């Protein structure tokens, strides 16, 4: 049971690890303590060889003809993903989306701890949303330093996102989860993950329109 | 001004089109009627040659030394994305995330019309969420046929998603926007877009953990 020595896990494997984690939590709840590669693959609809490769990054190796220890795998995945070191984050923007993130229990079970939310709407400042205090944006920089928070979540309208991101960087934040549909222009060392739901929607609706045989060619030349 | 004749737009361009659209709506609100490639590039932080390539897919060509007609471009982008044919959708799951999607005005401005929401929680059925009726899951198949709805949004817990997706397919739905962190097993002709926020979170927190020099190697071999 050696620890993973490689410094990086391929993005595709990384993105599957939460599914394994969720699945293993379910097994544990049923009292199952050992599980084979092929059973995991069958239940999650991955080929066993992929399961084995993904789980290798945790440093846990299954025993031949026995399988993996569910408890060991859970600890190793949580460790690999940094979930056992609760990730404290600030969230800016408490509209519909920000509120949904604050209220999403499963995120907190996976190590995301939003410690404070920020908004520029004076009607929201001072309120609590899902138990989290909503503070004025002016508090962001002083609080980030004092609380040693390194992650920021942007759930603002797109026109506000760049300025908020720059504030976050000034506040010492190193990783930004950006839900605003805009490209952020930030120093290279900042880790940014864009969650552009409008682009997803654009892609989906365009494909569906084509499927439903909307005469795009004709429409596209309207003027 | 010929219509785009190619059958498909590269995914990367497709995903940028909503940003151009949002930007152009802003210009129009300011009374700006013509805009150059380089000005768009400067404001959105893309190189002009990329802007020109992306916008070519709309079938609109800018005039040399003048630029694009803002109004023409808007119509062409909306047409290309199928947004002028309102996309009616069903949404299943009215928890935090489903509620946020229902309440997101900008989605509806971009052509997404959630016509009904569904939930299996009897306390929610019969209520309205952001003005949309919440119906029992049993109504999904009969209503989809009658209303000719082709898009479904899944915002349920992961363990429910596969069964819901299968119901949607039976109901004649052709495109599924899946927010549940699970791989759906569906016929090949169904258009699926996965929005796995847990995977995004996993990727981000893992990178931050590495940055903050958490001793992953040691932790990974805990057992």
């Amino acid at each position: 049971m050696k620890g993973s020595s490689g410094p990086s896990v391929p993005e595709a494997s990384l993105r599957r690890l939460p599914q394994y984690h969720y699945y293993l939590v379910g097994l544990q709840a049923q009292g199952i303590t050992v599980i084979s590669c092929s059973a995991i693959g069958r239940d999650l609809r991955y080929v066993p060889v992929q399961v084995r490769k993904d789980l290798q990054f945790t440093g846990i190796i299954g025993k031949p003809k026995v399988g993996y220890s569910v408890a060991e795998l859970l600890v190793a995945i949580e460790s690999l993903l940094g979930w056992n070191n609760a990730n404290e984050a600030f969230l800016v923007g408490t509209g519909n989306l920000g509120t949904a993130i604050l209220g999403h229990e499963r995120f907190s079970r996976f190590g995301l701890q939003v410690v404070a939310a920020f908004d520029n709407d004076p009607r929201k400042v001072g309120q609590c949303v899902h138990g989290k205090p909503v503070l004025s944006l002016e508090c962001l920089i002083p609080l980030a330093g004092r609380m040693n928070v390194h992650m920021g979540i942007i759930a603002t309208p797109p026109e506000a996102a760049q300025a908020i991101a720059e504030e976050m960087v000034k506040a010492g934040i190193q990783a930004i989860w950006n839900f605003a549909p805009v490209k952020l222009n930030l120093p290279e060392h900042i880790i940014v993950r864009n969650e552009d739901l409008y682009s997803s929607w654009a892609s989906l609706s365009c494909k569906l329109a084509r499927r439903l045989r909307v005469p795009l060619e004709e429409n596209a030349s309207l003027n």
Side-chain angles (χ1 to χ4, degrees), chain A:
Chain A
M1 305 277 168
K2 278 281 151 235
S4 147
S5 61
S8 79
V9 182
E11 183 74 14
S13 296
L14 209 48
R15 292 180 70 88
R16 281 188 291 270
L17 286 171
Q19 291 181 20
Y20 296 118
H21 184 271
Y22 188 86
Y23 169 74
L24 293 165
V25 168
L27 292 184
Q28 206 170 41
Q30 295 166 52
I32 297 169
T33 58
V34 175
I35 186 85
S36 73
C37 220
S38 52
I40 299 178
R42 184 197 60 219
D43 291 346
L44 296 182
R45 301 179 204 99
Y46 293 124
V47 290
V49 64
Q50 186 173 64
V51 174
R52 191 170 299 114
K53 276 177 77 176
D54 288 342
L55 296 180
Q56 248 168 24
F57 294 107
T58 64
I60 302 290
I61 310 290
K63 293 204 185 86
K65 301 198 181 170
V66 179
Y68 298 96
S69 151
V70 171
E72 270 184 18
L73 255 190
L74 274 171
V75 171
I77 292 175
E78 287 168 11
S79 172
L80 183 62
L81 296 178
W83 287 351
N84 45 2
N85 308 281
N87 276 298
E88 293 187 332
F90 283 161
L91 180 143
V92 179
T94 58
N96 276 309
L97 189 63
T99 300
I101 295 167
L102 285 172
H104 221 40
E105 279 173 30
R106 211 168 291 130
F107 278 135
S108 60
R109 214 190 303 157
F110 285 2
L112 172 60
Q113 302 263 0
V114 180
V115 288
F118 300 84
D119 207 295
N120 63 0
D121 182 342
R123 289 166 303 179
K124 290 181 175 172
V125 170
Q127 306 291 314
C128 267
V129 175
H130 291 299
K132 304 292 156 71
V134 181
L135 309 172
S136 157
L137 274 172
E138 290 158 24
C139 306
L140 196 142
I141 291 182
L143 266 187
R146 208 181 317 152
M147 299 179 77
N148 207 23
V149 167
H150 298 293
M151 188 174 296
I153 302 172
I154 299 180
T156 66
E159 54 273 22
Q162 177 65 31
I164 297 293
E166 287 169 13
E167 284 285 286
M168 285 180 169
V169 171
K170 275 187 219 154
I173 277 179
Q174 302 199 34
I176 293 180
W177 200 2
N178 174 36
F179 286 83
V182 69
K183 189 185 169 198
L184 299 174
N185 191 16
L186 296 174
E188 285 218 347
H189 69 276
I190 303 296
I191 304 165
V192 179
R193 172 105 216 159
N194 292 301
E195 217 61 64
D196 188 345
L197 301 182
Y198 300 100
S199 293
S200 293
W201 164 245
S203 164
L204 194 64
S205 64
C206 183
K207 284 174 188 159
L208 182 61
R210 209 175 292 141
R211 166 76 55 84
L212 299 176
R213 296 203 173 66
V214 175
L216 284 183
E217 281 74 19
E218 287 82 340
N219 286 351
S221 61
L222 277 183
N223 54 44

